[in-house]
Amino acid sequence: MTLPDSSPAAASTTFAELQIPAPVMRAIADVGYESPTAIQAATIPALMAGSDVVGLAQTGTGKTAAFAIPILSKIDVTNKATQALVLAPTRELALQVAEAFSRYGAHLPQINVLPIYGGASYTVQLAGLRRGAQVVVGTPGRVIDHLERGTLDLSHVDYLVLDEADEMLTMGFAEEVDRILSETPEFKQVALFSATMPPAIRKITTKYLHDPLEVTTKSKTTTAENISQRYIQVAGPRKMDALTRVLEVEPFEAMIVFVRTKQATEEVAEKLRARGFSAAAINGDIAQAQRERTIAALKDGRIDILVATDVAARGLDVERISHVLNYDIPHDTESYVHRIGRTGRAGRSGNALLFVSPRERHMLKAIEKATRQTLTEVELPSVEDVNAQRVAKFADSITDTLGGSGLELFRRLVEDYEREHDVPMADIAAALALQSRDGEAFLLSPEPPPQRRERNERNAERRDRPDKSRPTKDFATYRIAVGKRHKVGPGAIVGAIANEGGLHRSDFGHISIGPDFSLVELPEKLHPTTLKKLERTRISGILIDLRPERSAGKSSENARRGPGSGGGKPRRKHAE
Ligand code: AMP
């Protein structure tokens, strides 16, 4: 069954309707989620009822909570056996998923969630396994290692999740997944999440899932043409700065700033007030009377900025809202359409702005596809733009004050001062202006020179997508001690090396599989810690003993030499 995003059931479900036990509900309230995302509204009831589920969903849709909440709701916390296993393609995702389980399970005191992934110390993981972890979130390679060592027992697994299954296959983990599944009991609940549904995933679904409910986040809605839609690329940590710059430079009458959680509405509104903007928060926790007062204040211009969650702003109809700013990208295209529909009311034109971090670009594509409109990329206002605005506003405020009343008294006082102290009028005016700043700088400091700024931005981007050891330099050839004799394929090699070494698929060049060893092209300058980890990595239980291939030249040469350059009669695969 396909439950589109736009299904009314999905749109109006509340967490309270999902029969989630109190401790998990409390954790959901703590993290500030107001209502389930579309994938959660469709998936949670099915998983609670015991169905297998296939979710076609990407990161950003709330898919982690879609499986973590029902698992935590059903698990027997008094039993220390591993009852839930989540397989994830990368250690970053494994860690992220484990953290999510810990967050949603914060009020289940007996729960132990253990991430197991390559590159981390076995000792810590072994201690965790010995203590008993009801939920294990692992990468396939390391899960196999633990199975082989006899340190992980999957015979009590009731819930199995394959997260980002397509990514897992692309990384060459098909065999590992098969093997892990064969070690789990026949009767268990399986959930598979994947951004795409290639035939290989379909096959896994048919093989391992029983009559699954298929949930996909699809949207057919379009947006109004009187709304201009723009986006700005900005990494997570810079969003607050970006927001204040936009507010200073963009001429707007009133604006709704959309964020994901209740806490974020308060935090962002508070920070805006501290920076001198007239902002207020609305979210589902705010009493109706207060909400009405806030909206009345927005209508008559006592406040100009409303920081809201999707739920709180539903149906809001205020003509003076000239702008909608999507501070946090929405979970689905449907929400985007609802959000931007708050502007451009009563035949006016509206403006929609969206902050997109590098890892959220797929959501941008989905929005463009669903709304059948292209969003225009615009640059974040520069320091010069902001300062020019500040100077212009300063001049305007002088003009306004001069045109008003009540100047008489101060004119006399200033003239007295000028006479008594013999100070030029311009200096007195400057002193008064400075006094009014209360110690705060009037202009933004210039940005660091481009080179440093780019590096900072790259760092911010990297923080956003933790992919620390991804070099971009030339390739070099490395030898590993596994080959055809050990029945390894290129997929297993990419999977293990990427996972253990924290590398990305784009870090792989050609792979040549010889009879007893293989040659793999990897970045020439691998970080020493990555090298160290890779020396200790195992594939099919065999130490790969990765080391630079002395006889081989640089890989750009290898690539030119073409197939078979790696020794024996190797099989080649381009891993990108
Ligand atoms: P995921 O797709 O699982 O990576 O989740 C994306 C982001 O959405 C994470 O930051 C979650 O904390 C957040 N999130 C998940 N469910 C909800 C919800 N119901 N309301 C608001 N935010 C959510």
Side-chain angles (χ1 to χ4, degrees):
M1 183 173 39
T2 303
L3 285 181
D5 210 17
S6 47
S7 97
S12 59
T13 312
T14 63
F15 278 116
E17 289 165 52
L18 298 178
Q19 285 160 9
I20 299 163
V24 182
M25 277 299 272
R26 257 204 292 151
I28 295 171
D30 289 350
V31 290
Y33 300 165
E34 263 190 334
S35 60
T37 64
I39 191 98
Q40 291 163 3
T43 307
I44 295 175
L47 287 177
M48 294 290 276
S51 288
D52 284 0
V53 165
V54 174
L56 261 166
Q58 290 178 312
T59 308
T61 51
K63 67 178 166 65
T64 315
F67 61 80
I69 289 172
I71 289 177
L72 288 165
S73 300
K74 292 169 73 169
I75 219 155
D76 176 5
V77 285
T78 60
N79 178 355
K80 291 271 177 234
T82 299
Q83 299 157 56
L85 174 68
V86 181
L87 290 180
T90 62
R91 60 176 171 174
E92 284 80 26
L93 185 65
L95 269 172
Q96 221 172 287
V97 170
E99 278 163 19
F101 266 95
S102 301
R103 234 175 322 137
Y104 308 134
H107 298 295
L108 299 169
Q110 289 160 294
I111 193 93
N112 281 320
V113 180
L114 185 68
I116 58 174
Y117 51 89
S121 131
Y122 273 102
T123 330
V124 176
Q125 294 177 3
L126 284 175
L129 286 168
R130 245 180 255 126
R131 202 173 63 222
Q134 294 98 336
V135 180
V136 168
V137 186
T139 51
R142 188 52 75 97
V143 169
I144 296 259
D145 280 352
H146 279 287
L147 286 175
E148 276 173 357
R149 289 165 174 237
T151 43
L152 175 64
D153 175 10
L154 297 180
S155 64
H156 295 96
V157 164
D158 293 322
Y159 311 101
L160 190 125
V161 180
L162 301 172
D163 196 10
E164 299 198 356
D166 48 355
E167 198 59 15
M168 218 136 44
L169 290 198
T170 320
M171 289 184 73
F173 283 131
E175 279 170 39
E176 281 87 346
V177 169
D178 259 340
R179 196 163 144 214
I180 294 165
L181 275 150
S182 72
E183 304 240 0
T184 59
E186 193 188 342
F187 296 104
K188 62 184 173 289
Q189 212 180 340
V190 185
L192 178 148
F193 288 86
S194 187
T196 56
M197 190 45 76
I201 300 282
R202 202 34 89 200
K203 225 166 96 193
I204 293 192
T205 309
T206 329
K207 191 164 162 196
Y208 294 113
L209 279 71
H210 299 289
D211 191 21
L213 172 79
E214 198 165 310
V215 180
T216 174
T217 47
K218 237 195 246 148
S219 172
K220 302 181 217 74
T221 329
T222 51
T223 49
E225 273 163 19
N226 60 333
I227 301 171
S228 106
Q229 298 178 58
R230 291 170 289 163
Y231 75 93
I232 297 178
Q233 284 216 57
V234 48
R238 295 196 68 196
K239 283 206 281 194
M240 195 62 215
D241 173 46
L243 173 61
T244 45
R245 287 194 193 190
V246 169
L247 291 174
E248 287 206 49
V249 171
E250 179 87 13
F252 70 96
E253 197 177 347
M255 182 181 294
I256 302 196
V257 176
F258 278 100
V259 295
R260 273 193 186 152
T261 63
K262 298 175 205 176
Q263 281 91 332
T265 59
E266 305 284 359
E267 278 165 26
V268 172
E270 185 54 49
K271 283 185 182 155
L272 288 180
R273 283 195 294 269
R275 287 164 169 76
F277 297 100
S278 61
I282 55 165
N283 59 56
D285 273 357
I286 289 174
Q288 186 58 21
Q290 172 65 32
R291 181 191 139 95
E292 278 165 21
R293 274 200 298 277
T294 306
I295 291 168
L298 181 74
K299 276 187 179 154
D300 63 27
R302 276 173 292 143
I303 57 169
D304 295 327
I305 304 161
L306 206 57
V307 188
T309 53
D310 293 78
V311 172
R314 206 172 275 161
L316 200 71
D317 190 4
V318 178
E319 253 182 64
R320 59 183 290 270
I321 298 172
S322 57
H323 284 68
V324 163
L325 191 142
N326 293 278
Y327 185 87
D328 290 330
I329 201 162
H331 288 293
D332 45 61
T333 53
E334 194 76 4
S335 308
Y336 176 80
V337 173
H338 281 297
R339 285 179 176 190
I340 73 165
R342 298 307 105 217
T343 180
R345 315 290 295 182
R348 293 182 172 204
S349 59
N351 297 276
L353 271 163
L354 172 69
F355 284 171
V356 185
S357 77
R359 67 181 292 230
E360 291 164 344
R361 287 194 69 93
H362 66 268
M363 268 318 274
L364 172 69
K365 294 272 164 297
I367 287 169
E368 289 188 326
K369 206 167 145 214
T371 57
R372 287 184 219 103
Q373 284 191 16
T374 312
L375 273 66
T376 315
E377 179 169 9
V378 286
E379 291 287 319
L380 185 65
S382 65
V383 166
E384 292 73 31
D385 295 336
V386 173
N387 286 344
Q389 272 300 318
R390 288 188 182 180
V391 170
K393 281 182 187 159
F394 176 68
D396 286 348
S397 73
I398 297 175
T399 312
D400 285 352
T401 313
L402 285 175
S405 56
L407 283 174
E408 269 319 302
L409 168 67
F410 290 106
R411 180 179 294 119
R412 227 179 31 247
L413 293 179
V414 170
E415 277 167 359
D416 290 349
Y417 185 93
E418 183 195 23
R419 248 194 326 278
E420 283 165 27
H421 295 84
D422 193 21
V423 175
M425 255 318 169
D427 285 1
I428 300 175
L432 290 172
L434 184 64
Q435 200 181 48
S436 74
R437 297 294 304 164
D438 215 13
E440 244 181 82
F442 176 61
L443 296 177
L444 286 181
S445 327
E447 285 183 290
Q451 230 186 338
R452 243 182 76 203
R453 196 172 89 228
E454 270 167 31
R455 199 169 62 224
N456 289 345
E457 266 160 21
R458 271 206 306 277
N459 284 344
E461 187 170 321
R462 234 175 261 150
R463 271 198 303 280
D464 221 38
R465 181 170 44 193
D467 211 346
K468 294 179 195 72
S469 50
R470 183 195 303 193
T472 50
K473 299 286 173 289
D474 283 350
F475 283 113
T477 306
Y478 294 79
R479 174 190 281 256
I480 56 173
V482 286
K484 279 187 191 148
R485 196 160 66 80
H486 311 101
K487 297 195 172 54
V488 300
I493 294 175
V494 175
I497 294 181
N499 213 17
E500 301 269 321
L503 298 179
H504 188 266
R505 259 173 294 143
S506 59
D507 292 329
F508 287 78
H510 294 107
I511 297 175
S512 310
I513 301 185
D516 289 309
F517 65 90
S518 304
L519 298 173
V520 185
E521 286 184 349
L522 294 170
E524 191 186 4
K525 292 202 178 77
L526 280 178
H527 195 277
T529 51
T530 306
L531 262 178
K532 219 179 204 123
K533 280 179 200 155
L534 291 178
E535 282 164 10
R536 293 193 304 256
T537 297
R538 285 170 190 273
I539 298 179
S540 300
I542 296 156
L543 206 59
I544 64 170
D545 194 23
L546 178 132
R547 55 191 63 209
E549 172 71 351
R550 302 275 167 232
S551 58
K554 283 231 217 114
S555 87
S556 32
E557 277 169 46
N558 275 353
R560 275 199 301 279
R561 272 187 274 152
S565 59
K569 246 200 226 142
R571 198 162 130 213
R572 293 174 76 251
K573 175 185 186 259
H574 200 273
E576 272 178 272

